[in-house]
Amino acid sequence: MTPMDQPTEYAERVLETAEAIPEGRVMTYGDVAEYLGQGGPRQVGRVMALFGGGVPWWRVVRADGRLLPGHETEALANYRAEGTPLRTPATDRETYRLDMPRARWDGEPAPD
């Protein structure tokens, strides 16, 4: 087994953060790095690419709200099932995007 077969401590923290994001909410790659106080968007993206298949990967997103290329259909199905706020395309040439101001989660627990 090589070191790449197992997530590092940092990768485990990224994956735990992805799992903690509530249904219907998202964090950007940069948000996750800031929340952890370590790494940056690229490091978070790398962790998600290598190890994110077992967590709700669709909740860790690009800052512009675009759906993950190559995974748009699956991500959109998850967003719809969870009630994640979306921006409807204005034209046939556009695709869905996340409504980032409404969908973004700041890492704070919801008030009771």
Side-chain angles (χ1 to χ4, degrees):
M1 196 173 281
T2 69
M4 292 306 293
D5 292 335
Q6 295 296 316
T8 63
E9 182 180 330
Y10 176 73
E12 290 287 349
R13 292 179 63 214
V14 168
L15 298 173
E16 289 169 3
T17 301
E19 290 178 323
I21 301 169
E23 287 188 12
R25 304 300 295 275
V26 299
M27 290 179 93
T28 69
Y29 297 109
D31 290 342
V32 172
E34 184 177 327
Y35 179 78
L36 295 175
Q38 185 180 7
R42 289 182 185 208
Q43 289 82 9
V44 171
R46 182 78 174 144
V47 168
M48 294 303 294
L50 291 173
F51 305 111
V55 299
W57 54 265
W58 59 91
R59 296 184 195 151
V60 182
V61 301
R62 298 168 48 138
D64 65 5
R66 289 185 189 166
L67 307 188
L68 184 64
H71 300 279
E72 298 93 342
T73 302
E74 186 177 357
L76 185 57
N78 285 310
Y79 297 138
R80 286 181 170 155
E82 293 183 357
T84 308
L86 295 166
R87 290 178 35 206
T88 304
T91 68
D92 290 340
R93 291 184 180 183
E94 292 182 6
T95 59
Y96 282 92
R97 282 189 184 206
L98 293 158
D99 184 342
M100 292 303 291
R102 293 178 44 223
R104 203 171 204 162
W105 186 56
D106 62 7
E108 294 295 321
D112 291 332

